[in-house]
């Protein structure tokens, strides 16, 4: 894995976490596994 893809993966993971926290703070329902699946599709191992 090169540095650029590692940086992209980290950036997306952070934005995903921020989005989940925002929904949690606003008492909006969300499913963590849906977020994890989306990240896994974007960055397959």
């Amino acid at each position: 894995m090169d540095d650029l893809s590692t940086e992209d993966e980290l950036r997306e993971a952070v934005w995903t976490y921020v989005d989940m926290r925002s929904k949690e703070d606003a008492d909006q329902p969300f499913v963590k596994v849906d977020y994890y699946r989306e990240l896994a599709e974007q960055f397959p191992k």
Side-chain angles (χ1 to χ4, degrees):
M1 181 181 291
D2 63 26
D3 289 342
L4 183 57
S5 60
T6 301
E7 187 175 321
D8 291 342
E9 187 173 357
L10 179 58
R11 184 180 299 112
E12 279 301 313
V14 169
W15 281 114
T16 296
Y17 178 78
V18 168
D19 189 46
M20 287 191 292
R21 284 291 302 179
S22 295
K23 287 185 177 186
E24 185 174 59
D25 290 344
D27 291 325
Q28 295 177 345
F30 64 95
V31 179
K32 283 183 186 180
V33 73
D34 291 342
Y35 283 91
Y36 297 155
R37 282 187 188 126
E38 186 176 328
L39 284 172
E41 288 174 8
Q42 287 180 321
F43 303 99
K45 300 282 177 181

